[in-house]
Amino acid sequence: MAEKKLNKAGGRGKGVAFAKWAKIDKAQRNMLVAVCAASVVLGVTVVGAVYLLKVIAFNAKVIGEKNTIIGNYKQIQKNLETVSQRVNELSDNGALEVVARTRSSDCAGLSISSIDANSSIEDVELSRTCTALRVIPDALPSQMNDEATLASLNWLLLWSDPSIVIDGISGTDVEGVTLTDKDGKSNSNTSLKPTGAAVSINDGSAKVHKALDTIENSIRNFDIASATISWAGGTMSERNTYIPETIELNATYRAYYSDAVKIEKKSKKICADDTSDKCTGRRRKK
């Protein structure tokens, strides 16, 4: 009887112990699950926070570049307004009009400042020949044209005196010049390019002097690259007749033209990482 009671008591104790162990195991499992879940949540939160910070930093960089672009656009608009105002002032400039060669008789009362979006095509085309700005292409052409350069030089010589004796005018090669700024430093960014013209004149000293003076005062810049002058006459011949003095001038002139101005387009790629292959343009090695 006693053994049966002990067995019953012992069995009851083991059952209680197993129940406690089961509860402890369940609590541990629950705790482990909770810790794992918290770790996952923390990891996702950290990753999300890092990603969010990167997105914020990238958007801040984009906004900064947009503000820079907006500032550039505003500056361009101001520059265009200034240029437009100065062009309108030059279009009626009397000093430019004085050196202009010809002016159409249809230009009376027409000014470039009166041309707007509602103007007809005929008025726009006419304004190009009426405005004083037509002098500028003569002063500095936007492309090389040897024939036009020689024609301009020939016109200047005949303008100085229609009877001047021109032995010849021809194109020739000339070296460019190195331009310097006000501090004497070389300016390598200039778009000026040279074109040459060889001139030979044989006439009286007064006519040659006037021709040189007319070329010097031309709206287009003609620089003498080299020149030789020889003279003869101014004496009495054997028959006691006066031989007029003549001057023979052989000069090489350097004129200039400039490349046409083009609109410069700029683009910029913004990357979250400036060292990435997309930003640097480098290719990954395979």
Side-chain angles (χ1 to χ4, degrees), residues 144 146-147 149-150 168-174 195-199 252-253:
M144 183 176 182
D146 289 336
E147 291 78 8
T149 302
L150 298 177
I169 299 179
S170 61
T172 185
D173 295 331
V174 291
T195 179
V199 179
T252 299
Y253 280 93

Side-chain angles (χ1 to χ4, degrees), residues 38-280:
S39 300
V40 171
V41 172
L42 179 61
V44 171
T45 302
V46 171
V47 172
V50 172
Y51 175 76
L52 184 61
L53 290 175
K54 288 184 177 180
V55 170
I56 293 174
F58 177 71
N59 288 334
K61 185 184 293 187
V62 172
I63 292 173
E65 291 296 334
K66 285 183 177 179
N67 290 334
T68 302
I69 293 172
I70 292 172
N72 292 338
Y73 272 128
K74 290 182 178 179
Q75 186 61 44
I76 290 172
Q77 289 176 348
K78 291 181 180 178
N79 293 340
L80 288 176
E81 291 175 359
T82 303
V83 170
S84 177
Q85 181 180 357
R86 291 181 178 178
V87 167
N88 288 336
E89 293 174 354
L90 288 174
S91 65
D92 299 322
N93 188 283
L96 290 178
E97 190 61 48
V98 168
V99 296
R101 296 185 178 179
T102 57
R103 182 179 175 90
S104 174
S105 58
D106 299 331
C107 295
L110 182 63
S111 172
I112 192 174
S113 58
S114 63
I115 302 299
D116 54 24
N118 298 322
S119 300
S120 63
I121 297 178
E122 292 76 10
D123 287 342
V124 174
E125 293 297 329
L126 184 60
S127 68
R128 294 179 179 178
T129 59
C130 293
T131 172
L133 295 176
R134 69 189 185 280
V135 175
I136 295 177
D138 290 336
L140 189 63
S142 60
Q143 60 184 357
M144 183 176 182
N145 190 333
D146 289 336
E147 291 78 8
T149 302
L150 298 177
S152 296
L153 198 54
N154 184 71
W155 189 88
L156 289 170
L157 293 174
L158 295 177
W159 192 17
S160 67
D161 193 321
S163 63
I164 190 171
V165 179
I166 304 173
D167 288 342
I169 299 179
S170 61
T172 185
D173 295 331
V174 291
E175 295 182 357
V177 294
T178 302
L179 300 181
T180 57
D181 56 19
K182 61 181 181 180
D183 297 327
K185 296 181 180 179
S186 174
N187 183 6
S188 59
N189 297 325
T190 178
S191 60
L192 291 179
K193 296 181 179 179
T195 179
V199 179
S200 179
I201 306 172
N202 192 348
D203 213 322
S205 59
K207 291 184 179 180
V208 173
H209 179 271
K210 188 175 181 181
L212 292 173
D213 191 54
T214 301
I215 295 174
E216 182 66 23
N217 293 327
S218 169
I219 186 65
R220 184 171 187 182
N221 199 50
F222 287 95
D223 294 335
I224 293 182
S226 62
T228 59
I229 299 176
S230 59
W231 60 90
T235 59
M236 301 296 293
S237 67
E238 295 178 355
R239 295 183 180 182
N240 202 25
T241 58
Y242 180 74
I243 301 175
E245 179 183 11
T246 60
I247 292 181
E248 183 179 354
L249 170 67
N250 294 288
T252 299
Y253 280 93
R254 182 190 293 111
Y256 305 92
Y257 67 96
S258 177
D259 293 334
V261 177
K262 299 180 180 179
I263 298 177
E264 182 181 359
K265 296 181 180 179
K266 293 184 179 180
S267 61
K268 185 172 184 179
K269 184 182 293 184
I270 302 175
C271 300
D273 184 6
D274 294 334
T275 61
S276 67
D277 294 337
K278 290 183 179 180
C279 264
T280 58

